[in-house]
Amino acid sequence: MCAVYHKYLRLDHLPHIWCPGCGNGIVMGAFIRAMEDLKYDQNEVVVVSGIGCSGRISGYLDFNTLHTTHGRALAFATGIKAAEPRLKIFVFMGDGDATAIGGNHLIHACRRNIDMTAIIINNCTFGMTGGQFSPMTPKGKKASTAPYGTVERNFDIPALAQAAGATLVARVGIYQVNLLRELIVKASHHKGFALLEVISQCPVNYGRRNQMGDPAEMLEDQKGIIKSAGLGQGLENYFGQIFQSEQPEFIEEYNKMIVQAQKKGGCDV
Amino acid sequence: MVKPKLMQGNECCALGALAAGVRFFAGYPITPSTEIAEIFSKELPKLGGVFMQMEDEIASLAAVIGASLTGKKAITATSGPGFSLMQENLGFAAVAEVPCVIVNVMRLGPSTGMPTLPAQSDVMQARWGTHGDHSVIALAPSSVKEAFCLTVRAVNLAERYRVPVVLLMDEVIGHLRERVVFQPDEKVVQWERKQCLNPKSSQPFEETADGIPPFFSFGGEYRHHVTGLVHDESGFPTSQREGISRLIRRLHYKITQHLSDIVQVEEFFVDDADVLIIAYGSTARSAQAAVVRAREEGKKAGLLRLITLWPFPEKEVSTAAVNKKAVIVPEMNMGQLALEVARVLPDKNLLFPINRVDGELVTPDEILSVMGRIY
Ligand SMILES: Cc1ncc(C[n+]2csc(CCOP(=O)(O)OP(=O)(O)O)c2C)c(N)n1
């Protein structure tokens, strides 16, 4: 293993719990390489995660790490950032975590435009609990709770996040590991709420039920989709950076308000 | 002469928190607690602190826990429905041992109930609302001044024991305005959480002699992992039977081992009383008035006022109940704390609950009329 991984992994807590062919390790690898680019002091970084297979990432990474409750990672992260703005915050969530139980926190973190990087690992299913359908399971796909195929539609995460006010939004395939690394760096340098959707694969609980072949075949399929996607085809087809804008960031605005409040005089106690 | 102030319970609660060193509030508005959020929104920015109005109560407690993990003293305030939403994260704070204070200004429930009417409806929710076994501390003020003092104490206990502390204030105390006197020499003592001094020799969830592990803060000198999963002393998940049981047991005994520091009650004519009233919150005020009037009539009544509701003052209640002919427990609920009192009484037939669930206070007359029937 090359030295960079040693530096950022808690080696005594490996091997990880993920199934063979899972995308979580690939995302974690790209994240570590991005950390190498960003060169932050590890003590100044907080990695927050939700509950699910993806939520386990926080335990393997050697930073300040917080494994929260299902769906609430962004709310915990908001408290950390607001209380200690100098810390760099990265939040990992599964698609169920972020868009089902945590959907409310997701849109409000976008709206607040609080400075942090959120990464949704979208494997189109509830991996940890055995492959139930999630708000990201495409219509018609099978799941343990959709034996005849889901009848519901899925969210378009980048469109949702952009509409809710996130100021950097991107979708990237897990196949595009180098782009993912670059986007994590870019997202972290961005002042405001940055959201990356990583389209991942769950061969065991999703691929198998939908005859999508082995993990390599799932990646090959993704490669095909990415190749055919491009600008002007609508958000759902576009991979890579989608949207970035400059908007007032929460902490900066809050600090301006503090200056105002302090001009008005001291506390009564 | 110190000039008395006319103050409100909710106001004193917020000011008490600030005096105790709280610099972070996250909450979601709900009657009858909203004044607390409003005061924080005004005062915290002046002190360079953070006020956040979150998207719901789940997020509020999550943000409070996040802030506390950076070493800040943090608080939230709500009422019954919001307190229910907080329960999952309250359990997280208990198992991850994150100091925080949750103020619950109780109103009549269940559900939306009577949002503006008082009740003492969440005594059991405070103890057992979250899933699993856990320790919790809950305090109940009976006056506006005490709302200040007990908020300070709630913050201090949370910091010292690394637990979520619930301040159970009923709507009467929350909205009551009364005369409050702060003496010029009155000092607010702040307790600080035990810090990790040497990471080489200590672990973030270590089993220390007093049961309380040293605190490692995010952004401090040492990195560590915090999880709601059962973890070993290093903080990482464990599935070893012995480790699981050791953590759950420690979460209990770090509280039960320190009852003399945590439990507070107040006695009013208890020693020679024949009839004992056990009450808390605003109900204790009516109980005290009833005792005064009973004594005027030559009846030996006494009051044991519970300041700490959880851990339940078992020893204090059973000692005070010795040789009493009757124990009256007035509550603005269907008999929640009465269940605990019954548990420790030598003879259950001594217990006379008075339950009021119409949004009105239990009056001294009601207590006296029950007393008249039994004594
Ligand atoms: C409040 C609550 N509800 C349900 C669960 C059970 N649960 C654990 S993980 C999970 C879904 C995980 O799916 P996802 O967020 O997509 O992450 P993945 O496991 O696929 O990485 C669920 C429903 C829970 N832990 N907490």
Side-chain angles (χ1 to χ4, degrees), chain A residues 7 10 13 41-44 46 56 58-60 62-70 72 75-76 78-80 82-84 86-87 101 104-106 108-109 111-112 114 250 254 257-258 261-262 264-269, chain B residues 5 15-16 18-19 24 42-56 58-59 61-67 69-70 72 88-89 92 148 217-229 234 236-237:
Chain A
K7 183 169 172 204
R10 289 166 168 154
H13 295 286
D41 175 349
Q42 278 157 272
N43 288 355
E44 297 291 295
V46 187
R56 292 304 187 99
S58 59
Y60 305 130
D62 192 8
F63 299 94
N64 299 290
T65 54
L66 176 62
H67 182 219
T68 62
T69 45
H70 189 34
R72 320 299 173 196
F76 281 80
T78 298
I80 297 170
E84 205 57 87
R86 70 162 213 281
L87 298 174
I101 192 164
N104 197 28
H105 310 306
L106 176 66
H108 287 280
R111 177 182 62 81
R112 260 179 217 114
I114 186 164
F250 172 80
Y254 190 87
M257 186 263 282
I258 283 188
Q262 290 181 342
K264 293 216 161 117
C267 175
D268 302 340
V269 271
Chain B
K5 283 185 177 172
L15 297 184
L18 295 175
F24 188 97
K42 184 159 171 265
E43 301 302 335
L44 273 169
K46 293 187 206 163
L47 296 165
V50 180
F51 166 86
M52 292 204 74
Q53 183 168 310
M54 298 300 288
E55 51 272 23
D56 59 26
I58 303 173
L61 186 52
V64 160
I65 294 169
L69 284 168
T70 71
K72 301 276 186 313
E88 188 193 9
N89 284 339
F92 184 94
F148 182 97
S217 62
F218 281 179
E221 281 175 73
Y222 326 112
R223 300 188 287 279
H224 75 305
H225 185 55
V226 178
T227 175
L229 281 167
S234 71
F236 289 92

Side-chain angles (χ1 to χ4, degrees), chain A residues 51-54 70 94-97 101 123 125-129, chain B residues 88:
Chain A
I51 296 290
C53 300
S54 44
H70 189 34
D95 47 300
D97 213 25
I101 192 164
N123 58 6
T125 189
F126 283 11
M128 172 130 299
T129 43
Chain B
E88 188 193 9

Side-chain angles (χ1 to χ4, degrees), chain B residues 165-234:
Chain B
V165 175
V166 182
L167 188 79
L168 280 179
M169 190 148 70
D170 53 64
E171 188 273 348
V172 179
I173 303 301
H175 279 163
L176 183 68
R177 284 178 201 277
E178 68 182 347
R179 198 171 157 273
V180 177
V181 180
F182 288 100
Q183 299 300 338
D185 58 349
E186 217 171 301
K187 288 232 158 48
V188 171
V189 183
Q190 294 187 7
W191 298 352
E192 305 301 332
R193 53 188 93 159
K194 191 199 282 180
Q195 296 293 330
C196 167
L197 298 175
N198 182 359
K200 294 202 175 62
S201 60
S202 71
Q203 298 206 76
F205 294 91
E206 162 177 314
E207 181 130 18
T208 54
D210 62 5
I212 307 147
F215 186 81
F216 290 54
S217 62
F218 281 179
E221 281 175 73
Y222 326 112
R223 300 188 287 279
H224 75 305
H225 185 55
V226 178
T227 175
L229 281 167
V230 167
H231 41 270
D232 61 19
E233 295 184 43
S234 71

Side-chain angles (χ1 to χ4, degrees), chain B residues 204-332:
Chain B
F205 294 91
E206 162 177 314
E207 181 130 18
T208 54
D210 62 5
I212 307 147
F215 186 81
F216 290 54
S217 62
F218 281 179
E221 281 175 73
Y222 326 112
R223 300 188 287 279
H224 75 305
H225 185 55
V226 178
T227 175
L229 281 167
V230 167
H231 41 270
D232 61 19
E233 295 184 43
S234 71
F236 289 92
T238 182
S239 45
Q240 288 191 326
R241 298 237 162 84
E242 198 203 328
I244 300 170
S245 147
R246 204 181 317 138
L247 173 72
I248 304 298
R249 285 173 197 284
R250 183 173 60 71
L251 294 181
H252 277 264
Y253 84 67
K254 75 171 179 178
I255 298 301
T256 54
Q257 188 173 292
H258 300 283
L259 292 180
S260 60
D261 187 39
I262 298 169
V263 172
Q264 288 188 329
V265 298
E266 190 182 76
E267 295 191 358
F268 187 68
F269 294 103
V270 167
D271 284 347
D272 71 336
D274 290 326
V275 177
L276 178 69
I277 308 171
I278 298 179
Y280 55 94
S282 62
T283 313
R285 300 167 73 103
S286 301
Q288 183 163 347
V291 168
V292 170
R293 277 168 52 190
R295 289 270 167 180
E296 281 164 8
E297 291 166 20
K299 289 184 175 175
K300 287 187 171 175
L303 166 67
L304 181 72
R305 181 169 77 87
L306 307 187
I307 298 168
T308 310
L309 298 190
W310 304 112
F312 183 68
E314 227 172 284
K315 198 177 81 206
E316 291 72 9
V317 169
S318 53
T319 311
V322 169
N323 294 330
K324 302 296 183 250
K325 297 198 172 75
V327 176
I328 299 175
V329 182
E331 291 181 271
M332 286 189 282

Side-chain angles (χ1 to χ4, degrees), chain B residues 144-165:
Chain B
V144 171
K145 173 80 187 274
E146 202 178 35
F148 182 97
C149 301
L150 285 192
T151 308
V152 172
R153 189 167 161 75
V155 174
N156 282 343
L157 288 167
E159 296 292 317
R160 176 171 286 177
Y161 293 103
R162 287 187 63 175
V163 280
V165 175

Side-chain angles (χ1 to χ4, degrees), chain A residues 8 32-40 181-182 185 189:
Chain A
Y8 296 105
I32 289 173
R33 291 187 292 278
M35 287 300 112
E36 189 64 6
D37 297 340
L38 286 164
K39 302 205 169 13
Y40 295 144
R181 170 187 185 166
E182 280 167 35
V185 172
H189 284 151

